[in-house]
Amino acid sequence: SMNRLFAAVLGLALVAGAQAAEKVYQVASDAAYAPFEWQDKNQKVVGFDIDVLSAAAAKAGIKVQFHNTPWEGIFATLATGDRDIVASAVTITPERKQTMDFSDPYFEAKQLIAVTANSPIKRFADLKGKKVGVQTGTTGDEVVQKLLGKTSPNIKRFESTPLALQELLSGGVDAVVADNGVVVNFLANNKNAKLKTLDDPSFAKEHYGFAVKKGNKDLLAKINKGLATIKADGTYDKIYRKYFGN
Ligand code: ARG
């Protein structure tokens, strides 16, 4: 009968609706980047980026699930569809914008130089002729390339920023150039290591954004709507204070 047909169609529509509502967006984070993303003792990916994206997603009515994903190849996971979002303290740059889309900025950062307290290095230009540790393919890598040259054997590239900083502690490199938040966090957690930081006026302001596959306007709009909501209602400020104080 007509009623049965109607009931069947309604049933299918409800199932389809439930499935649509269950879509979980898969998020890539290189979780060796405290305080932005790291793994807690249960291997759970946690941090500032996770809190910000989770809060924005909740306001936008979407579900997100975080996966520790190596930095090398992290952007390729968007193109392949393995991940829907990269939340990994990613600096929005003109070159990256050519291959993926970014949310509105959610954090301002800068490069910072870490050296040992007794180092003769006083400024960025002093890194010429010195061994400098960076995480491969980061904006820190780019900044050092400008000074030393892209193919300089003095640029020591590491797959994670903590590995580069460990190498500074063990004397394998003379300096590390990385995002300020991560360097400051490492120094705070290694107080007896006697490191110090050097700023440089040539370092430009950087802005972190969440990356999605190029053309994924629907997801981007949702993330941006959620971000705008948490910036307006105080949620973002609360998360910011939790990680960075006032
Ligand atoms: N902000 C820098 C960049 O985009 C470094 C980001 C590294 N992030 C990470 N989770 N390892 O190049």
Side-chain angles (χ1 to χ4, degrees), residues 14 26-27 70 80 98 119 163 172 186 192 212 218 227 232 239 243:
L14 287 174
Q26 306 300 320
V27 186
T80 60
Q98 292 178 3
S119 171
L163 282 175
F186 186 84
N192 47 12
V212 301
D218 175 61
L227 270 178
I239 298 169
Y243 289 92

Side-chain angles (χ1 to χ4, degrees), residues 28-34 36-37 49 69-71 74-75 87-93 96 102 109 111 135-142 159-162 178-179 182 206-208:
S29 307
D30 168 28
Y33 215 65
F36 299 99
E37 45 268 335
D49 289 351
T69 307
W71 177 256
I74 201 168
F75 299 129
S88 201
V90 179
T91 301
I92 305 168
T93 70
R96 287 175 181 167
F102 283 96
Q111 294 306 302
Q135 183 176 12
T136 311
T138 57
T139 45
D141 189 351
E142 286 170 22
E159 68 187 42
S160 81
T161 295
D179 292 9
V182 171
E206 299 184 19
H207 293 97
Y208 294 169

Side-chain angles (χ1 to χ4, degrees), residues 133-155:
V134 297
Q135 183 176 12
T136 311
T138 57
T139 45
D141 189 351
E142 286 170 22
V143 157
V144 175
Q145 280 177 40
K146 277 192 198 130
L147 185 75
L148 302 187
K150 203 181 173 79
T151 59
S152 168
N154 280 336
I155 304 179

